[in-house]
Amino acid sequence: MLIRRLADAPLQGRSISAPGWESNRLLLKSDNAGFSFHITRIVKDAELALHYQHHIEAVYCISGVGEILDIAKNETHEIKPGTLYVLDQHDKHILRAFEELQLACVFNPPLNGREVHNAEGAYELTAEEIA
C-alpha cells in the first residue's frame, strides 16, 4: 500500500511548475501503478496551448472555472467543479482559467515526474519509452 499526502509533494521533489501552472505529482511511473496521478493548479487568466501526443489524460475539476477548446472540432467546453474531460485522442487543445483551477489529473503512460511541456505543449517520452 502506498500513502502520499498533497502537502508533502513539494518536500519530496514531486512539485513541478512552469508559467501558468503547478503540478503536485503524487503517483509516478516509479510507483509501478501503470498511471500517474497529479493535483494541478492552473493560475487565474492562464491560457495554455497543449497537445499530449504521447499520453492519454483524464482531468477532473475540483475547483475554479475555465474552459477547454478542442482545436480540431473548434468546440469550447466549460470547466467547473464536477467536470471531467478526457483527452483520449491526443487532442490538441487550449485550456483557459477564468479563476484559479484545481484539477485532479491522471496520465497514461505515467509521467516520470520532472516533465514540463515542450514547444508543442506535450510531454516528451524517455528513450526507454520510445524503444
Side-chain angles (χ1 to χ4, degrees):
M1 180 180 296
L2 178 64
I3 306 294
R4 295 256 164 76
R5 301 197 193 299
L6 181 60
D8 295 336
L11 304 172
Q12 298 168 342
R14 291 174 172 265
S15 184
I16 307 300
S17 62
W21 61 273
E22 175 186 64
S23 179
N24 289 289
R25 298 173 174 181
L26 299 175
L27 190 65
L28 295 169
K29 182 177 183 176
S30 60
D31 296 314
N32 297 312
F35 60 93
S36 58
F37 180 82
H38 317 206
I39 299 296
T40 300
R41 181 178 63 86
I42 308 297
V43 301
K44 182 180 188 277
D45 297 325
E47 181 169 303
L48 305 173
L50 304 169
H51 183 201
Y52 296 119
Q53 301 162 353
H54 312 291
H55 298 86
I56 303 296
E57 182 190 26
V59 179
Y60 179 81
C61 180
I62 298 166
S63 64
V65 176
E67 69 182 15
I68 186 167
L69 169 63
D70 178 337
I71 292 174
K73 295 180 180 176
N74 195 32
E75 294 177 352
T76 302
H77 304 277
E78 181 182 33
I79 298 172
K80 60 184 181 180
T83 302
L84 171 79
Y85 65 88
V86 180
L87 302 164
D88 61 339
Q89 301 297 312
H90 305 287
D91 311 88
K92 211 179 237 194
H93 61 288
I94 297 174
L95 179 60
R96 298 182 181 108
F98 303 135
E99 298 174 1
E100 181 176 288
L101 288 167
Q102 182 143 334
L103 308 169
C105 308
V106 176
F107 280 88
N108 187 14
L111 298 188
N112 292 298
R114 305 304 301 169
E115 294 91 339
V116 293
H117 302 107
N118 66 17
E120 296 176 356
Y123 292 133
E124 296 289 342
L125 293 178
T126 65
E128 173 188 292
E129 292 168 320
I130 293 170

